[in-house]
Amino acid sequence: MRAYTALIFDLFDTLIDFRRDRMPLIQVDGTEVRSTSRHVYDQFKTVCTDVPFEAFYAAFMDGYREAERIRAREWREISSEDRFRMVLSRLQVAPDDVPADFPEWLAEIHMAKLSEAMVFPAEHRPLVEWARARYRLAVISNFDHAPTARRLLGESGIVGCFEHVVVSAEEGVRKPHPEIFARTLSRMGLTPREALFVGDSLAIDIAGAKGVGMDVAWVNRDGQTLTDGNPAPDYTLGRLTELRQIL
Ligand SMILES: [Mg+2]
């Protein structure tokens, strides 16, 4: 095993869990779905009074799918604000007819609701504090709203443990793009061989970090099997706290 100077963590489903089952359950066309759309719509309709929920929901999902297509194809981040600009454009809401900060406002409402589905496991705090005493730490997160990522880390009580919290919404590029790893290493004055990346996604974290020459610990809580075409991680953990045993 290499002696590492730094540990760089993915954020969601590595340090903080995204619990889809905690998302609001709503009815759309007689089907139950987990979505923040009803809460966002309740605010949206105070400004755009003549759009029915069904039309809003269709545009809300179209905006999401279009953002996801661009993210997957170009490894470029679409911010939550830009996603809501797409939603408004699909609804043919002219920017001049709504408050200038309307997309930001909708993004804030969406994020406030989404945040309720984010859970920081209690066992992660002593692990991060243990790591902080021995290594330099950073986070690289694919997330479309940087203030929310930082606020959730703040509420978890660990944000001060990280020298850098690098969020794709601010960088423009997303993992597995090599640029977001390279920028983080450069800001820390590190070579790839000096840092271990810790993340849960084979295609995003493991492929991305291995692609720039970092060692990787894969947090594989669901017991996934490695697929052909993905580089193998250097270590596999059943849960994040097993990190102590490999370091
Ligand atoms: Mg993740």
Side-chain angles (χ1 to χ4, degrees), residues 144-172:
D144 55 350
H145 199 258
T148 299
R150 294 213 170 80
R151 181 175 54 75
L152 289 166
L153 276 171
E155 289 169 2
S156 305
I158 56 168
V159 72
C161 294
F162 300 99
E163 285 178 36
H164 296 273
V165 177
V166 178
V167 184
S168 58
E170 291 176 336
E171 302 297 324

Side-chain angles (χ1 to χ4, degrees), residues 10-16 140 142 175 199-201 204-205:
D10 165 52
L11 181 53
F12 293 111
D13 290 329
T14 295
L15 288 171
I16 295 179
I140 303 178
N142 277 359
K175 298 175 288 183
D200 70 294
S201 167
I204 291 171
D205 298 314

